[in-house]
Amino acid sequence: MILDILFPNRCLGCNRIIPADLLVCELCFSNIYFTPSGYFDDNFIKERCRLLFPVENTFALMQFDKENLSRKIIHELKYKSREKAGEILAEWTIERLDFKDQKPDLLVSVPLHPKKLKERGYNQLHLFTEKLSEFYRIPFDHDIIKRNQYSKAQALKDKQNRLKSENVFSITKSITEKNILIIDDVFTTGNTIASIAWEILNAGNNKVSVLVMAMDA
């Protein structure tokens, strides 16, 4: 209570004081650009993914532009120890994502390297994935994909280095005949997701779909 008084939660958009369980005020929330495309639509991410690997369906919650509010939200989640922001983003996703009668079989989030996980203290995708799992009643597995290489933050890499991701991931368990939903925070080149997708596809007669918090066009 005292900390709430001394260090009140402030809107990431306008800096006004807001309840502790929110990221933005009502006014700034209306300024977030939520992508209009649904899970089954031929959207931008699906087009990009199809250039890299066979994909079933795709969904992006927000547009990730250089100066917009979604960038601040994702950065708070990843770099400012706002792990709980993942649950809020999951709630926003649930309001907009309809699997209809074609739910995936398993939710898999992009893993961090153990060294990066120790540095950050949490994987920014775990609470987000778990919240979706609970609502949609789809199992998740945080351990089925292993990151083999430690690297600096994706946001700090130049474009050429971001494209180099061979042998970054490996499968730790046998998995076949499943439709796997790969979950990540931001879709940029699609290279990270493609690396995981091919591991899943090559592991058996599997299919992959993609869900991201934001897409960077």
Side-chain angles (χ1 to χ4, degrees):
M1 183 66 70
I2 295 177
L3 288 177
D4 290 340
I5 296 174
L6 296 176
F7 305 101
N9 186 40
R10 294 185 177 275
C11 172
L12 297 179
C14 64
N15 206 41
R16 72 179 64 183
I17 296 175
I18 57 175
D21 59 344
L22 298 180
L23 292 173
V24 295
C25 68
E26 186 174 339
L27 181 61
C28 289
F29 180 80
S30 65
N31 293 327
I32 298 174
Y33 182 74
F34 292 103
T35 57
S37 298
Y39 182 67
F40 300 98
D41 296 340
D42 288 329
N43 51 47
F44 171 79
I45 292 183
K46 186 175 291 184
E47 293 176 1
R48 292 284 297 275
C49 286
R50 282 175 172 168
L51 296 175
L52 301 170
F53 60 92
V55 67
E56 298 298 310
N57 300 295
T58 58
F59 179 84
L61 176 63
M62 305 178 292
Q63 181 72 45
F64 191 74
D65 291 328
K66 187 173 183 180
E67 301 297 334
N68 72 11
L69 190 52
S70 64
R71 182 175 290 266
K72 291 184 180 179
I73 292 170
I74 298 296
H75 280 211
E76 284 287 313
L77 170 64
K78 293 181 68 172
Y79 308 121
K80 300 296 182 64
S81 299
R82 290 285 294 271
E83 183 180 9
K84 288 288 186 179
E87 292 185 332
I88 298 174
L89 288 165
E91 291 171 0
W92 295 353
T93 300
I94 288 167
E95 293 172 358
R96 293 164 176 81
L97 175 59
D98 184 4
F99 290 120
K100 300 180 181 178
D101 59 348
Q102 298 182 44
K103 292 195 300 185
D105 299 309
L106 183 68
L107 307 182
V108 173
S109 56
V110 175
L112 296 178
H113 187 274
K115 182 178 178 181
K116 177 64 68 63
L117 183 60
K118 185 176 180 179
E119 291 172 353
R120 185 172 295 172
Y122 62 96
N123 183 314
Q124 72 276 7
L125 299 172
H126 282 184
L127 288 183
F128 178 83
T129 301
E130 290 161 17
K131 185 82 172 181
L132 297 184
S133 172
E134 179 183 12
F135 179 82
Y136 293 108
R137 298 184 179 181
I138 303 170
F140 67 88
D141 191 330
H142 293 323
D143 301 314
I144 198 168
I145 300 292
K146 175 185 176 183
R147 184 184 286 265
N148 301 317
Q149 301 177 15
Y150 173 82
S151 61
K152 61 184 178 180
Q154 189 84 342
L156 301 179
K157 297 180 183 179
D158 58 43
K159 185 174 182 180
Q160 182 177 3
N161 286 333
R162 283 203 302 266
L163 293 174
K164 299 177 182 177
S165 61
E166 293 184 1
N167 303 316
V168 173
F169 302 98
S170 58
I171 291 277
T172 64
K173 304 174 185 179
S174 175
I175 183 167
T176 58
E177 303 289 338
K178 300 293 184 182
N179 185 353
I180 311 298
L181 182 63
I182 303 171
I183 297 175
D184 202 0
D185 44 36
V186 180
F187 186 97
T188 50
T189 64
N191 200 50
T192 296
I193 291 175
S195 297
I196 293 176
W198 280 116
E199 292 295 331
I200 293 172
L201 292 168
N202 291 333
N205 188 26
N206 299 306
K207 297 178 180 179
V208 294
S209 295
V210 172
L211 187 158
V212 295
M213 297 174 178
M215 65 175 185
D216 187 354

